[in-house]
Amino acid sequence: KAYYNRGNVYEKLGNYQQALENFDKAIELDPQYTQAYVNRGATYAANGQYKEAISEYKQALKIDPDSIQAYNNLGYLYIDTEINLEEGLKLIKKALSLAPENPSIIDSLGWAYYKNGMLDEALEELKKAVKIGGDRIEFYTKQYQPATGIYLRN
């Protein structure tokens, strides 16, 4: 767990190489450590290494087919980078089926709808994310400036 925690600290500091080395060590010690794969994937994604990130999220899902964060992160990566909008939407919906009241996942679904051109659905989900995650309203409205325009028009 110490290597995992250090990996998280390094990732937050933007020191991706050190983060990856620590996640590698955590996985070496426990090859079934799902969250270490998820966070290693997030580190790769933050560093623009999308192919590697996808591989990590898929590995996490092999270990834990109910990993909410792996579904959401992989789906979000597909959506945000436009690698596969349709698959991204499916993955986020799967995450939401496992955690229907999670505002971060609802927010991801709103973004997925927006990127898929489904503006009415995007508005509905983004409103729901703001309502449920009210203390993070600034995050939801600032993170998605294009989608915020939809929200403000209605």
Side-chain angles (χ1 to χ4, degrees), residues 41-54:
T43 302
Y44 278 128
N47 200 34
Q49 296 173 270
Y50 303 129
K51 185 177 175 182
E52 292 84 353
I54 290 166

Side-chain angles (χ1 to χ4, degrees), residues 6 12 22 24 39 52 61 67 79 86 88 136 140 147 150:
R6 280 198 339 209
K12 296 283 184 250
N22 279 276
D24 289 348
N39 288 28
E52 292 84 353
L61 288 168
S67 175
I79 294 294
E86 187 178 324
R136 295 189 67 199
Y140 297 119
I150 302 167

Side-chain angles (χ1 to χ4, degrees), residues 127-148:
K127 282 182 177 179
K128 194 184 305 179
V130 168
K131 183 177 180 186
I132 293 172
D135 59 330
R136 295 189 67 199
I137 190 168
E138 216 173 293
F139 168 79
Y140 297 119
T141 55
K142 282 185 179 176
Q143 184 167 359
Y144 304 120
Q145 289 299 325
T148 304

